[in-house]
Amino acid sequence: MKILINKDRELLVKDLSKDFHTEFGFVKSKDLKKNGRIKTNKKVGFSVFDAGFIDLFRRIKRNAQIITAKDAALIAAEAGINKNSKVVDCGGGSGALTCFLANICKEVYCYEIRKDFIKTIKYNIGFVNLKNVKIKNKDVYKKIDEKDVDLITMDLPEAWKAIKNCEKSLKAGGFLVAYFPNILQLKRFFDEIEKNKNFSYLKAVEVIQREWDLKERVARPKFDGLGHTGFLIFARRI
Ligand code: SAH
């Protein structure tokens, strides 16, 4: 897949075998195949390049509400995951967090109880071109199969019900991160972590990202934008 971009538009081209039509005229299939500067038949210039992970990630299919890049990025940063990491993502949903983590880690195990959601997760993993994800149609409140895990992420309504299972799966020093839209859920999770002698509580965070409008004589925060997403709570297996 390719990205066709100029100062006004950013377009994803999925099928390079056909001419690509835009509001600025069309681009010939043979021009799409090479990277660099090209022109439409109406002489409008575009730059063409191979779509990278983030170009595709931003365009994945959504069914469940996804964890957005700002929250996923903090999870990755706080847990310090890398190409050697083994991660379990609980509550696959649309597979957004799964894909974000798999782009960084060695392997990701994605648990999802709903078969219809698994279809979307599979589609999205293929769409972003990743091969290191294993999807499991299993209930994490019952069991998590993996051992020696570096990071477990949970985007589940009652994530506290899986804490015992996470305890068995995480390696010493491994991170447990839960994401909740509602602060009362986070508090309940915190209370369980506090009681558990095998976890140390690290912090609870809300990532607030304020985007600004910059053009000519305008330089101020945007009026619209992403409102509330969710709260994150971090703990460590000790
Ligand atoms: N983080 C995901 C969205 C998750 S939505 C993303 O970024 O795309 C929460 C998902 O958890 C739902 O799809 C729901 O079906 C799943 N789920 C709920 N309880 C579960 C359980 N006990 N085990 C596994 N998956 C569960």
Side-chain angles (χ1 to χ4, degrees):
M1 282 183 270
K2 295 273 176 146
I3 295 290
L4 198 59
I5 192 169
N6 66 15
K7 278 182 174 278
D8 301 310
R9 280 289 172 280
E10 183 188 312
L11 302 158
L12 178 73
V13 186
K14 289 186 182 163
D15 184 358
L16 305 181
S17 69
K18 292 190 199 122
D19 295 346
F20 186 75
H21 291 262
T22 78
E23 60 194 289
F24 308 102
F26 71 86
V27 179
K28 287 201 189 101
S29 164
K30 74 168 175 34
D31 287 341
L32 292 169
K33 286 177 186 149
K34 51 191 184 207
N35 290 343
R37 299 282 171 127
I38 50 108
K39 282 207 166 106
T40 67
N41 64 321
K42 290 188 180 164
K43 305 272 179 278
V44 178
F46 275 96
S47 170
V48 187
F49 53 82
D50 296 330
F53 172 78
I54 206 68
D55 299 310
L56 302 172
F57 178 77
R58 295 221 154 91
R59 293 169 170 89
I60 62 172
K61 273 193 191 160
R62 297 176 182 211
N63 43 29
Q65 184 64 44
I66 69 159
I67 292 192
T68 59
K70 74 172 174 74
D71 294 308
L74 187 71
I75 296 173
E78 290 287 340
I81 46 173
N82 63 23
K83 60 183 186 315
N84 302 316
S85 308
K86 178 172 174 181
V87 173
V88 175
D89 182 29
C90 304
S94 311
L97 183 62
T98 289
C99 290
F100 189 93
L101 296 170
N103 185 48
I104 300 172
C105 297
K106 183 169 174 220
E107 48 192 352
V108 176
Y109 297 84
C110 169
Y111 283 73
E112 172 55 58
I113 36 170
R114 281 184 58 170
K115 285 215 164 78
D116 52 334
F117 281 9
I118 285 184
K119 263 194 181 166
T120 312
I121 299 170
K122 276 193 183 148
Y123 174 86
N124 283 335
I125 292 167
F127 182 72
V128 301
N129 214 3
L130 289 166
K131 299 194 167 51
N132 54 344
V133 178
K134 186 146 197 280
I135 304 172
K136 297 193 160 181
N137 185 207
K138 289 186 177 177
D139 181 345
V140 294
Y141 297 155
K142 294 199 176 126
K143 192 169 182 252
I144 297 172
D145 305 322
E146 291 66 37
K147 296 276 175 272
D148 218 25
V149 172
D150 297 288
L151 165 67
I152 299 182
T153 50
M154 295 197 282
D155 181 1
L156 303 167
E158 299 176 302
W160 49 87
K161 288 189 179 163
I163 291 177
K164 284 268 166 228
N165 295 336
C166 295
E167 204 178 308
K168 291 178 204 140
S169 284
L170 282 167
K171 61 159 78 156
F175 290 85
L176 177 58
V177 184
Y179 172 92
F180 299 107
N182 189 315
I183 198 70
L184 299 176
Q185 293 168 295
L186 182 138
K187 179 61 167 63
R188 173 129 191 218
F189 186 87
F190 167 79
D191 291 342
E192 293 297 325
I193 289 290
E194 278 290 82
K195 273 192 268 175
N196 189 314
K197 62 180 184 344
N198 292 319
F199 280 103
S200 106
Y201 163 69
L202 299 174
K203 60 175 161 184
V205 179
E206 181 183 7
V207 182
I208 297 171
Q209 181 175 290
R210 193 155 72 133
E211 206 179 321
W212 284 54
D213 262 332
L214 291 175
K215 55 192 171 210
E216 292 160 15
R217 290 155 63 85
V218 175
R220 53 153 174 74
K222 276 188 188 294
F223 292 131
D224 54 343
L226 191 61
H228 173 64
T229 56
F231 305 101
L232 289 166
I233 178 162
F234 295 84
R236 198 157 198 197
R237 178 75 166 87
I238 50 173

